Amino acid sequence: MLHPRARTMLLLAIPALIIGVASSLVLIVVMKVASVLQTLLWTALPAKLGVTADSSAWIIPMLTLTGIAVGLAIRFSPGHAGPDPALEPLIGAPVSPSALPGLIVALIVGLAGGVSLGPEHPIMAVNIGLAVYLGSRILPRVGALDWTILASAGTIGALFGTPVAAALIFSQTLTSNDDAPLWDKLFAPLMAAAAGALTTSLFFHPHFSLSLPHYGEMQIADIFSGAIVVAIAIALGMVAVWCLPRLHRLMHKLKHPVLILGTGGLILGILGSIGGTVTLFKGLDEMQQLAFSQVFSVSDYLLFAVIKLAALVVAAACGFRGGRIFPAVFVGVALGLMLHEHVDAVPAAITVSCSILGLVLVVTRDAWLSLFMAAVVVPDSTLFPLLCIVMLPAWLLLAGKPMMMAWRNDK
């Protein structure tokens, strides 16, 4: 009763569901372990030692030791703990299975220790590596690219708690033709993304949205305000784009990963002692603190944005295993709140969403993902037309500009 095209799609349905669930479970286990370790390092241990966790006396040594621990995990891991995220896009080539345990350890220690990176890049590498390795043995007729697409879609769904992000990303990477329409090619990835998102929701709910005052009807002046905010965010982000490859080259002159990451941890500790614990970690929980707090001033928000962006660049340049999207969202929130406090006539919903759009666009160079993150953090449907409009000049500004990646000949 089914058309051959439908039967072809159904062939990958069960593997897609399995991969989506497995991708989410890997993320959940890693995040739960990292959360327990973070509580031990930043709550139980300092309380036992009689030290406050937000003091320089704790932040600097903790980040330095975290860097050394991550360096040891990378140095003594087979495969040297996977690819350097500063040199790779979010979705990269499959990693050897022998490198995955060390990569997971390096990720967990970094997340728990307060490094300003998210889990997305290493989790993506782990899930793709596992899917390609196991899938090619169970179903050898399915190519490595197909397993990569399913694993990355499942991971994106798990990370963001919805398959929408995966649909947006793959809609621009999977081309269609007369024989196979786009939605035929999206069928299995969306199955994996939906399975990943549903599995994640069973254990915890990713909390991205901020409680900001509702944005009313769009005005012409708001478009100009939003475009200016996006331009400011892009300008700040491009400073980080310029710094990352140069700092990466400088830090890797130290050669040994323990020395590189230990030094990087020390720098992160100094930055954290200046910005406070709100500028540590991946940034999603911390951005909620920014939005709910009533005590921060314009200078505080600016400090948080600059410190977090500097910490992101340092962590990426030194080779900490982690992603750059979640910290970029924190920077966007801090910058947006700062601009709103500075010019309160512009609604916070506009300044925050447009700042996120600009920063994520600089980091990922993915317009759909940038729109998605801005719309998820500031969930106001009346904002979406404005975001689509201000995306156009933002894309023009970034056309032909370098990506936020290090140069491969730096090593």
Side-chain angles (χ1 to χ4, degrees), residues 239-256:
V239 174
V241 170
W242 187 89
C243 291
L244 176 58
R246 290 159 178 84
L247 184 59
H248 186 274
R249 178 174 57 191
L250 178 64
M251 294 302 298
H252 281 75
K253 288 182 178 180
L254 297 175
K255 303 296 183 184
H256 200 285

Side-chain angles (χ1 to χ4, degrees), residues 196-218:
L198 290 173
T199 304
T200 298
S201 67
L202 294 177
F203 296 91
F204 65 91
H205 300 278
H207 191 51
F208 294 98
S209 61
L210 301 179
S211 297
L212 298 176
H214 178 73
Y215 174 65
E217 185 178 353
M218 186 176 69

Side-chain angles (χ1 to χ4, degrees), residues 99-159:
L100 299 184
L103 180 57
I104 292 174
V105 171
L107 171 62
I108 290 174
V109 173
L111 289 174
V115 175
S116 292
L117 292 174
E120 59 271 22
H121 188 281
I123 288 294
M124 186 72 73
V126 169
N127 286 338
I128 290 174
L130 288 174
V132 171
Y133 178 77
L134 297 175
S136 62
R137 282 154 178 77
I138 298 172
L139 295 174
R141 294 177 62 184
V142 179
L145 178 60
D146 293 316
W147 295 120
T148 298
I149 291 172
L150 293 179
S152 54
T155 304
I156 292 170
L159 282 167

Side-chain angles (χ1 to χ4, degrees), residues 27 29 40 51 63 104-106 114 151 178 199 204 210 227 236 245 278 290 294 299 330 367 370 405:
L27 173 66
V29 170
L40 175 65
V51 182
L63 266 298
I104 292 174
V105 171
D178 293 337
T199 304
F204 65 91
L210 301 179
L236 182 62
V278 73
L290 297 186
Q294 303 294 324
S299 58
F330 175 95
S370 303
M405 293 175 64

Side-chain angles (χ1 to χ4, degrees), residues 181-202:
L182 176 61
W183 275 94
D184 282 20
K185 295 189 175 184
L186 281 175
F187 182 84
L190 281 179
M191 290 281 285
L198 290 173
T199 304
T200 298
S201 67
L202 294 177

